[in-house]
Amino acid sequence: MPPLSPKSLASLVESAVSTRSSLMGRAAHAQITKNLGLDLNAFLSNHLINMYAKLDRPDSAKSLLSLTPSHFRSVVTWTALISGNVQNGHFAQALSFFDTMRRESVQPNDFTFPCLFKAAGSLRSPILGQQFHGLAVKLMLIDDVFVACSAFDMYSKMGFLGDANKVFDEMPVKNIATWNAGISNDVLNGKLDDAILKFVQLLRESEAVPNSISFCAFLNACSDGLFLAQGKQMHGYVIKSGNGSDISISNGLIDFYGKCHELGFSEQVFKNMNERNVVSWCSMLAVYEQNHMGEMACTFFQKARRSSVEPTDFMVSSMLSACAGLAALESGRTVHALAVKACVDENVFVGSALVDMYGKCGCIDDCERAFFTMPRRNSICWNALIGGYANQGRADVALRLFDEMTHHSPPNYVTLVSVLTACSRGGMVTTGMDIFESMRGKYRINPGPEHYACIVDMLGRAGQVDQAYHFITQMRGRPTVSIWGALLSACKMHGKRELAKIAAENLFELDPQDSGNHVILSNMYAGTGQWDEASLVRKEMKDVGIKKGTGYSWISIKNTVHVFQAKDSAHFRNVEIQAMMAKLKRDMKEAGYVPDTKLALFDVEDEEKESEVWCHSEKIALAFGLVALPSLVPIRITKNLRVCVDCHSAIKFISGIVGREIIVRDNNRFHRFKDNQCSCGDYW
């Protein structure tokens, strides 16, 4: 068999690189040695050095370099070494080779500079990047489209936006990759208007034709900025330009419409897709979850499973978030099992979603177990665990975890919200104020509306309502709905009618259509027997067309959700429910329960008031749970409004009478009732 030609041997080496096969590469090297011996020519030597560098065999590449005569070492040789090391993440080593190359008086070319800019950017070294930029200008290579694009990308990713824009504007020729980099980097840096203007500039001034990356980058800008009109215009342009069937663009449109809360358009885009990939299904599922349509997300997830879509980490984490929003523990456990089966349960985002789901479903033990079984943790999972304990009223544990977190991961904005919430619900005013005062200096976090609302809530719960109002008057910026809402709730709790009126008037101005604020003020007047004032507030609501939001409680049994309203008698097991409620009422009165009729909001006789508070939705849901669930199984109820004082007292009595654990999640926190006690310590 005649010896192979250098060209054929080089093809063998290139095949090893394209298949990333070290075994094939060594075999090709052996064949070259067999054919030519150790005296390699520059052509094959460069191919072999490139192969070992690209296959992440730096020692072999260096050994081969040392055997290569210096007169064979050209810019191709050094660029192959630099490129391979950059490709495999060895940025410092790549720059070391560049230093040696320069000492051998070899000048870099247009292939070398993109690697150097990437290395400088990855090492976060603007000084090196600027030096490489200066050298490219000196060698008159900066006008090369690939060199200039790499310099632009480096400056953008390091946050040197002024330098990046200057490089971009001075480029004599821009290909579509350059335009895409410019638009994408503007989006990443929050320069959404600039991203849109660059796309318009691309259409007007360039001969380059936008591709799917261009369209998706533009849609990302519209998604982040909630630019609905511009996104719709882009949708029309996509169809007009013949790109309507592109899967990537369709996925971007689903995401865009979802983030702009236009669910109908997202569904229409998904429905009209001729071909879908797993990203399409994940995007549509995320749309339902992000728009708080948990039930639709669950239904869609089942549809995806029936269509043989394998669950990905993104899909599973979105589904777990939907279950968390619904407090659907059974569904959450099912998704957890799927995550284990699909081997994505150790993914940090799935793990964080599991911690969050169990925490929001009130299963603090499972929440903690999911946290400690994660192989690595980020701030999201720490926040979820701290928030889980905060919602349970376990401020001491939440604060201990916060202290531990500071040794592993720096706290962020959300962390401080969870910690201050824990202090509020645990009545730890001094600790909460100390943490709030240290936010800027110790944690480099500027307090936001959520933090101020936590402080107002904390002071108000502790009875320091006047101090809470003073705190609002001294805060920076205009108080938000949540801040005045916290004050109004505190005024209701402690009977501060004058301050309640001030808080309510501010809330009516900020959010005139929210019925909840009117109802709280009306209830407050009714609770103190001021029926004329209560009726006046209700009349004002009616005059401006505000309708009171309906209170619901629901309980999930065997993957079926049963929903109840106050005085509900429509359930198919209503006879059993009413019989259970009558029995509970007798047993509770024998145990010393006295109804809190202040919660009856009508000026009627005491007997009617007692009947009024007894028919609240959470009591009906609890009676159904006692009828439908086996003994010893915890009863889990979710309510869309805050649980009232009388229901809270009644459920404490019931937990002792029936010997069951009862967990109620209202719109504010968890209440874990057991043996006549609640985890909140009657402080909510």
Side-chain angles (χ1 to χ4, degrees), residues 311-440:
T312 63
D313 51 356
F314 183 82
M315 183 179 286
V316 168
S317 59
S318 294
M319 207 34 230
L320 288 168
S321 296
C323 294
L326 293 170
L329 179 62
E330 293 177 15
S331 298
R333 289 194 192 282
T334 301
V335 178
H336 188 177
L338 275 173
V340 173
K341 185 179 178 182
C343 299
V344 297
D345 56 309
E346 292 190 352
N347 176 277
V348 67
F349 299 107
V350 173
S352 299
L354 280 169
V355 175
D356 183 59
M357 185 271 294
Y358 282 123
K360 287 180 178 174
C361 289
C363 298
I364 200 66
D365 293 336
D366 289 324
C367 174
E368 195 173 70
R369 190 176 300 113
F371 178 85
F372 285 110
T373 54
M374 292 178 68
R376 57 192 180 93
R377 306 179 187 106
N378 59 10
S379 60
I380 297 172
C381 55
W382 279 101
N383 292 345
L385 185 61
I386 293 170
Y389 277 110
N391 285 328
Q392 294 272 343
R394 310 254 315 257
D396 54 337
V397 183
L399 288 170
R400 190 174 70 244
L401 284 166
F402 173 63
D403 183 62
E404 185 181 346
M405 175 188 179
T406 57
H407 295 95
H408 298 278
S409 178
N412 57 22
Y413 189 98
V414 176
T415 313
L416 271 299
V417 172
S418 297
V419 171
L420 292 174
T421 299
C423 293
S424 173
R425 291 171 181 173
M428 305 173 76
V429 177
T430 303
T431 303
M433 291 305 298
D434 287 344
I435 291 172
F436 179 81
E437 295 296 338
S438 67
M439 281 180 63
R440 286 192 183 89

Side-chain angles (χ1 to χ4, degrees), residues 458-600:
M458 180 179 69
L459 293 170
R461 286 172 187 271
Q464 301 177 30
V465 185
D466 293 326
Q467 292 90 323
Y469 177 63
H470 179 72
F471 178 81
I472 292 174
T473 61
Q474 299 300 309
M475 66 175 281
R476 298 180 181 180
R478 188 183 183 190
T480 61
V481 168
S482 60
I483 293 169
W484 286 117
L487 182 65
L488 181 59
S489 296
C491 292
K492 178 190 174 187
M493 185 185 301
H494 298 287
K496 295 278 190 176
R497 290 195 299 274
E498 293 304 316
L499 276 179
K501 191 173 181 181
I502 294 172
E505 286 173 352
N506 279 280
L507 285 166
F508 297 163
E509 180 185 346
L510 290 171
D511 193 3
Q513 294 302 311
D514 186 354
S515 65
N517 303 319
H518 293 80
V519 170
I520 289 175
L521 188 62
S522 173
N523 291 358
M524 188 175 175
Y525 286 134
T528 55
Q530 296 175 280
W531 300 107
D532 292 339
E533 289 84 350
S535 297
L536 181 61
V537 174
R538 297 274 176 161
K539 183 178 181 301
E540 288 174 354
M541 285 177 62
K542 187 176 181 180
D543 290 345
V544 297
I546 301 172
K547 293 183 178 179
K548 177 183 177 295
T550 305
Y552 294 99
S553 294
W554 60 92
I555 182 171
S556 178
I557 297 176
K558 294 183 179 178
N559 288 320
T560 301
V561 178
H562 302 263
V563 183
F564 300 92
Q565 299 180 44
K567 302 181 182 179
D568 205 327
S569 60
H571 197 275
F572 71 96
R573 298 183 71 173
N574 184 58
V575 174
E576 296 171 86
I577 292 170
Q578 295 304 322
M580 175 59 72
M581 291 186 74
K583 180 180 183 303
L584 290 172
K585 195 172 185 179
R586 289 193 302 270
D587 293 343
M588 288 164 64
K589 285 198 172 183
E590 289 177 8
Y593 163 72
V594 178
D596 189 340
T597 55
K598 293 195 300 294
L599 275 297

Side-chain angles (χ1 to χ4, degrees), residues 597-636:
T597 55
K598 293 195 300 294
L599 275 297
L601 305 177
F602 300 97
D603 188 10
V604 295
E605 298 298 324
D606 288 346
E607 188 175 335
E608 292 180 74
K609 288 182 180 180
E610 183 177 333
S611 175
E612 181 73 25
V613 297
W614 181 247
C615 295
H616 286 181
S617 62
E618 53 265 58
K619 292 189 180 86
I620 301 173
L622 175 54
F624 173 65
L626 290 168
V627 167
L629 286 170
S631 59
L632 303 180
V633 174
I635 297 172
R636 300 176 183 276

